[in-house]
Amino acid sequence: MAAKLVDVHRVLTLLPGAARDYTRQEFARDLYLLDQSGVIDTKDGRRMSLPASALTRSSGCSPPHPAGQTKVYAGLAFKEQAG
């Protein structure tokens, strides 16, 4: 199951002033850079994904895209790799 990115950002910015210092737009930019990097495997053998699906309607993050296209990220999930 994917965690909503708005909830992930909320947890990352719990400390006073953190939301001001790390905006949702900056968070979306970092997600875009992570997505473009191709790094999806963690050291403990899990695989990260950034699903959009139905989550996009209510809680998506849209980073600025160099080509002017829109890509919406809505969730963050980690799954065990098979075999």
Side-chain angles (χ1 to χ4, degrees):
M1 179 165 183
K4 292 180 182 178
L5 290 176
V6 293
D7 294 336
V8 173
H9 181 261
R10 190 175 301 123
V11 169
L12 291 174
T13 58
L14 281 173
L15 294 174
R20 180 187 64 240
D21 294 338
Y22 190 49
T23 66
R24 284 182 62 184
Q25 185 175 8
E26 291 172 315
F27 180 56
R29 178 210 56 217
D30 290 344
L31 289 170
Y32 171 76
L33 293 173
L34 178 62
D35 188 25
Q36 295 303 301
S37 75
V39 176
I40 59 171
D41 295 327
T42 65
K43 291 180 183 177
D44 69 350
R46 294 179 187 265
R47 180 156 286 175
M48 181 209 60
S49 65
L50 295 165
S53 70
L55 292 171
T56 307
R57 288 185 283 253
S58 63
S59 59
C61 292
S62 299
H65 191 278
Q69 302 165 335
T70 300
K71 183 160 187 177
V72 177
Y73 300 106
L76 176 65
F78 292 92
K79 294 183 181 180
E80 295 284 339
Q81 292 186 45

